[in-house]
Amino acid sequence: MTTWTQVIAKDKLTPDAGVCALVNGKQVAIFFDRKTDQLFAIDNYCPASQANVLSRGLITSVKDVLTVSSPLYKEHFSLTTGECLENETLSVPVYEVRVTDGMVEVTA
């Protein structure tokens, strides 16, 4: 059974930027892409820098893949799969995200 956790009102999100939420003891980076009007949720922990920083990264498109670039070493992680585009040995977990009654909900 999937457990959804409310984290923030959607209208409080800054488009094209991330926010970090603590969901069941995990730091989750949540992004709202203005162009596609989509939400994404990935782990906030960057395996390259070994720091919880991905929510501070920038949304960008690399080879038609929507990504977040890590603010420390600039690796690009796919917002849909969590794969690192520069290093196939690195990836981050991706979580389901949805909006219910204006509230962003995440599974983690």
Side-chain angles (χ1 to χ4, degrees), residues 8-11 99-104:
I8 190 171
K10 183 181 178 193
D11 63 0
V99 176
T100 302
D101 297 329
M103 293 296 295
V104 176

Side-chain angles (χ1 to χ4, degrees), residues 63-94:
K63 299 178 183 174
D64 295 328
V65 176
L66 195 59
T67 67
V68 61
S69 61
S70 176
L72 295 179
Y73 297 123
K74 311 304 182 206
E75 287 84 3
H76 295 90
F77 294 92
S78 166
L79 289 174
T80 55
T81 67
E83 296 173 341
C84 178
L85 300 187
E86 290 83 11
N87 184 340
E88 64 185 32
T89 66
L90 300 178
S91 65
V92 295
V94 175

